Amino acid sequence: MEYIEINGAINLAAVSSQLNALSFYTDSYEFLLTKDMVIYGYFKDSSTEYGLGNLFVFGKTIKPNEIVSSPSNSIFAKLKQYGSSGKYKGLLNYKGEIILPNIYDGIHLFAYNRLLIEKNGKFGVIDTDGKVLVEPKYDQIVDAWEYTIGVVLNGTVGFMDINCNIVIEPKYCLDSIDNNFHDGLIVVSEIIDEFKYQYCIDHYGLIHGNIENITPEMDYEPPYEDYINNNEYSDPLDAYDGDSDARWNTD
C-alpha cells in the first residue's frame, strides 16, 4: 500500500476518471467530486482487484446533529459533540462509505496492513477496515520489525503485537525506540538504581546475554594544585605575591 496525495480539483478529477477506468466503470468514483467534501489523498492498494482496497482520506465540515457518535468504549465517547471542521480527516472506502469519521488531525501509512491515526499530537492504530485498534494515546509509534510495534509513552518505550496488544509494558529508555528486532532479539536500555544498563530481550521481554552498565563516566576534574602547576598561562611569581627579589627561587 502507498499513499498518493491529491492536490486541487483538477488533480482530483483526473484521479476519479483514472479510477473509473481501472474499475471498468463497474464502480463509480463520482463521490470524490462531492462539493462539500475535501479529498486529501488516498491509500492505493494494489493487492486487491480493481483497487477495491483503496482508502480515501477526506475532510468535511459537519454539523453536530450529523455526527455519528463514537463507540461506547472509545475515549471520545463522553466528549460533547460540537461538529467538525473540514481540516479533520477520516476515511472513505472505494464505495464512498465512511469507515472512519473525520475527527483526526492526520492518518498515516504504517506497516502490517495498519494505519496510524493522529489526534492532538498523540498516535493510535487502525486496520484497513477503519477499526480503531488503539486510540491515539502514544507519543510515538514505530515498526520494530518482526511483527512487533514499538510505542513511546511518557518518555518510556514498550512493545505490542500487530493487533495492538501490549506484550512488554513501557519501561525502557527512549533511545531503545531506535532499535529493531533481529532474529528474535532487540537491544534495549533501562535505568536501574540510577545507573543505565543495556541488554537484549526477546519478544516476551526475557533477557538474553549479559547486562552491561553503560552509564557515562564523569569527566575527571584535576585538583586545584595540579591545575595551577600545569597552566601554561600561570606566572611563577604568583607564588611570591609578585616579589621580584624571589625570582632566583623559580625555575
Side-chain angles (χ1 to χ4, degrees), residues 100-131:
L100 186 74
N102 63 311
I103 59 174
Y104 300 100
D105 298 325
I107 304 174
H108 311 283
L109 195 62
F110 192 52
Y112 311 117
N113 215 27
R114 304 285 186 251
L115 301 173
L116 298 185
I117 47 177
E118 180 181 359
K119 185 77 172 179
N120 298 325
K122 302 292 184 178
F123 296 89
V125 184
I126 63 172
D127 63 19
T128 51
D129 291 325
K131 179 181 178 181

Side-chain angles (χ1 to χ4, degrees), residues 40 48 51 64 66 78 85 99 169 182 210 218 234:
Y40 293 98
T48 56
E66 297 175 333
K78 296 181 180 180
S85 165
I99 63 171
E169 293 288 343
H182 293 277
N210 298 325
M218 297 291 291
S234 64

Side-chain angles (χ1 to χ4, degrees), residues 27-61:
D27 297 295
S28 174
Y29 288 89
E30 296 302 314
F31 66 85
L32 296 175
L33 306 178
T34 303
K35 291 184 178 180
D36 62 346
M37 186 165 58
V38 178
I39 302 297
Y40 293 98
Y42 71 104
F43 295 99
K44 181 179 179 181
D45 181 17
S46 302
S47 66
T48 56
E49 190 175 16
Y50 309 135
L52 301 185
N54 290 342
L55 300 174
F56 299 87
V57 180
F58 80 100
K60 181 180 180 181
T61 301

Side-chain angles (χ1 to χ4, degrees), residues 14 78 83 89 95 110 113 118 136 154 219 234 236 244-246:
K78 296 181 180 180
K89 299 175 177 64
K95 294 181 179 180
F110 192 52
N113 215 27
E118 180 181 359
N154 300 325
D219 291 335
S234 64
S244 58
D245 293 335

Side-chain angles (χ1 to χ4, degrees), residues 2-3 5 15 18 22 36 45 71 76 82 93 126 129 168 186 193 227-228 247:
E2 63 176 315
Y3 181 70
E5 188 175 0
V15 168
Q18 182 184 40
L22 289 174
D36 62 346
D45 181 17
F76 301 110
Y82 292 102
N93 64 13
I126 63 172
D129 291 325
I168 304 172
I186 189 173
D193 295 331
Y227 176 78
I228 292 296
R247 185 183 295 271

Side-chain angles (χ1 to χ4, degrees), residues 26 48 53 55 62 69 71 156 175 206 247:
T26 57
T48 56
L55 300 174
I62 52 179
S69 299
T156 58
D175 55 5
L206 299 177
R247 185 183 295 271

Side-chain angles (χ1 to χ4, degrees), residues 9 75 89 93 113 138 146 169 171 188 192 204 231 240 246:
I75 62 174
K89 299 175 177 64
N93 64 13
N113 215 27
Y138 291 107
E146 296 186 359
E169 293 288 343
K171 69 173 185 176
V188 294
I192 303 174
Y204 301 98
N231 189 341
Y240 304 97

